[in-house]
Amino acid sequence: MTGRRRTAVEFVARTLERCGIIDAERFRPTMELAWPRIVTGFAIMSKQTADLAMVGIAVGTAGSAGLAFALGYWQIVTLLGLGLAGGTVTLVSQNYGGEETARASLAVNQSVLLAIGFALPIAGIFLAVPDTLIGLLGAGPAALRHGSAYLVYVAPAVVFELLNLIASRTYTGVGDTFTEMVARAGGALLNIVLSGALIFGFGLGAAGAAIGTTLASGFVTLVLAWGMVGRSYGRLGMEPSPVPIARGGPWFEPPLLRQLIEISLPEIGRRLAQGAIVFPLLWIAASFGPVVVTALEVGRRVRALINSVNWGLSLASSSLVGQHLGAGEETEAGAYGAGIIRLSAVIYTAVTVLVVLFARPIAGLFVTDPAAVAQAAVFVAVGALSSIGYGIDGAAAGALLGAGDTRWPFVASLLGRYAFALPAAALGLVTPLGIGGLYLALFLETAVPGGINYWLFRSGRWKAVSRRYRPSSGPG
């Protein structure tokens, strides 16, 4: 079986090389890093997607609409963690590639402290004012009840999720994506089992989904923490981190902390710009009723599952570009980045065609009423088409992130979502465009940043930016 798999990989690698997409010698390390991350991303995204489907079946449209509102806030948590961990993967990959493992470990220590500092206030807000948060989005009484319950019970998971993302990015930065895949996939399976039991067996609805997420996220934290402090996993095939958390310190180095914050803040801004757009979109969708709210969320969830490819290719781009830059190999870093962008565009286009062809049966997994299925199917198809922009955006931004160039991608995210997508959605409220404004918004929010970040990569300025963060630049 291993020989057949190797032969298949070689065939794909040579085919892609002949088509001018990516060199075969670069495809192999790219996919070695990417495929476990793709599985990891699919596992993480499937949790909320499964919860949405199960709550919709068990509770109905009010339950799924309430969960849609609450998942907007949970997405902010995930994207905040991804932004913070962006600084982690840059500093870990460049210092590890430059054989400065002690400095890489220190970057991890400081990332953990920052993650806890962000997580605790957010968890407190979820516990203190859940009704206010859901009510701001225009939820009706029934949806408000379900959405508020989800926020209360998912609050402890905020801390777990941010720590999990720091650990995941640390493993990616050193080129080990298998360990985090096993932990994350196990957590996703546990999440679905627990949520299903609590939703259907105990009738807890959205609260059951939240409790399942919290317990499963805590499990993943324990598993990853074991390796992050340097402990062996035995015969599980997982590896302890080669840049472990240094329990005895030091925990602070001001120049390195400044670099971590300097890289992370624009990346946090870029990620939050991606996530925050959902709030006005949900508010606009709510004006058309709970069926449209649910349909919009179904389309977004399906797109998030497609975007699991980016979890692998974007992070492979960051890691490989960062490691080659850390070793002073700028030309090779550029070749990796360009090849991964082309590969991402091809994969996303192929997946999009499949999803569009099966949009209606996919929608039927979430809703049962014929009118709701028809509406959701349109959002599934539009979400799939818009994912192509996500693919280009993720791969290009990943290469820029590996170089530490995060400021202009942040600007690109703002422009795409708030100068183009949001006005397009708002047009639907005041013109005959109606729900069509939401379709256009889904497309523009990925196409515009994708185009800008591709242009930024092609410009090559990121190579100069990276020289400030390489080990040879010194701690300052």
Side-chain angles (χ1 to χ4, degrees):
M1 183 63 179
T2 302
R4 291 180 180 178
R5 186 182 297 114
R6 187 180 297 114
T7 301
V9 170
E10 286 299 317
F11 173 76
V12 172
R14 294 301 176 188
T15 300
L16 291 171
E17 183 176 64
R18 285 194 294 270
C19 294
I21 296 169
I22 185 170
D23 184 86
E25 296 302 318
R26 298 187 185 103
F27 174 77
R28 297 185 193 97
T30 297
M31 292 313 297
E32 284 175 8
L33 275 176
W35 79 261
R37 284 295 305 169
I38 292 171
V39 174
T40 301
F42 189 85
I44 293 171
M45 293 297 101
S46 68
K47 295 186 299 183
Q48 280 72 51
T49 305
D51 285 347
L52 183 68
M54 288 188 288
V55 169
I57 293 169
V59 181
T61 303
S64 56
L67 196 59
F69 292 123
L71 289 177
Y73 290 103
W74 178 252
Q75 178 179 272
I76 290 296
V77 171
T78 300
L79 293 173
L80 172 64
L82 288 171
L84 177 59
T88 307
V89 72
T90 298
L91 292 176
V92 168
S93 64
Q94 291 202 20
N95 283 285
Y96 185 73
E99 300 183 351
E100 293 286 345
T101 55
R103 195 163 183 262
S105 289
L106 183 55
V108 177
N109 286 15
Q110 296 182 155
S111 297
V112 167
L113 293 178
L114 285 176
I116 294 173
F118 276 114
L120 292 177
I122 296 173
I125 292 171
F126 280 11
L127 288 168
V129 290
D131 289 352
T132 301
L133 293 174
I134 302 299
L136 285 172
L137 304 179
L144 176 64
R145 183 175 69 256
H146 294 295
S148 298
Y150 186 91
L151 287 185
V152 168
Y153 288 104
V154 85
V158 173
V159 179
F160 300 143
E161 184 63 14
L162 263 63
L163 291 176
N164 291 343
L165 287 167
I166 295 297
S168 294
R169 290 310 192 264
T170 299
Y171 273 109
T172 299
V174 300
D176 178 6
T177 51
F178 181 81
T179 297
E180 57 166 316
M181 179 195 72
V182 175
R184 286 292 209 167
L189 180 61
L190 180 62
N191 190 123
I192 293 171
V193 171
L194 291 174
S195 294
L198 293 168
I199 291 168
F200 296 112
F202 292 86
L204 294 180
I211 294 169
T213 295
T214 295
L215 294 175
S217 297
F219 167 79
V220 174
T221 301
L222 290 175
V223 173
L224 289 174
W226 185 266
M228 287 294 292
V229 297
R231 294 184 179 274
S232 172
Y233 288 103
R235 298 181 180 179
L236 296 176
M238 303 164 70
E239 298 291 339
S241 171
V243 288
I245 294 172
R247 288 169 287 176
W251 282 79
F252 286 103
E253 180 189 292
L256 186 61
L257 181 61
R258 283 197 298 270
Q259 287 189 351
L260 179 62
I261 294 172
E262 181 179 323
I263 297 170
S264 295
L265 280 181
E267 181 65 3
I268 289 171
R270 184 178 79 88
R271 296 287 188 172
L272 291 182
Q274 288 180 1
I277 187 68
V278 72
F279 297 122
L281 292 182
L282 285 170
W283 183 85
I284 291 170
S287 67
F288 297 104
V291 169
V292 175
V293 172
T294 298
L296 171 63
E297 188 62 18
V298 168
R300 293 182 65 254
R301 287 292 126 199
V302 171
R303 185 175 68 177
L305 285 177
I306 298 172
N307 205 39
S308 301
V309 176
N310 247 345
W311 284 72
L313 292 183
S314 179
L315 265 295
S317 183
S318 294
S319 182
L320 291 167
V321 169
Q323 288 184 34
H324 283 288
L325 288 173
E329 301 168 352
E330 291 186 355
T331 300
E332 187 65 8
Y336 264 105
I340 293 172
I341 291 171
R342 291 192 295 268
L343 179 63
S344 182
V346 169
I347 293 174
Y348 270 82
T349 300
V351 174
T352 292
V353 171
L354 287 174
V355 173
V356 170
L357 288 175
F358 294 97
R360 193 173 185 89
I362 290 171
L365 297 174
F366 296 87
V367 289
T368 56
D369 178 74
V373 171
Q375 181 65 78
V378 178
F379 274 102
V380 168
V382 173
L385 288 169
S386 70
S387 73
I388 297 173
Y390 250 148
I392 296 171
D393 181 31
L400 299 174
L401 175 61
D405 187 1
T406 55
R407 294 181 181 179
W408 282 107
F410 166 49
V411 174
S413 189
L414 287 178
L415 287 174
R417 287 163 176 88
Y418 301 97
F420 287 86
L422 187 56
L427 279 176
L429 295 176
V430 296
T431 70
L433 188 60
I435 299 173
L438 291 170
Y439 305 151
L440 184 58
L442 288 176
F443 178 77
L444 291 174
E445 71 166 314
T446 62
V448 174
I452 294 174
N453 282 328
Y454 179 69
W455 175 80
L456 288 170
F457 174 80
R458 289 293 301 270
S459 74
R461 63 176 296 276
W462 50 275
K463 295 177 183 179
V465 173
S466 74
R467 295 168 194 151
R468 300 205 303 264
Y469 304 112
R470 299 181 198 177
S472 58
S473 69

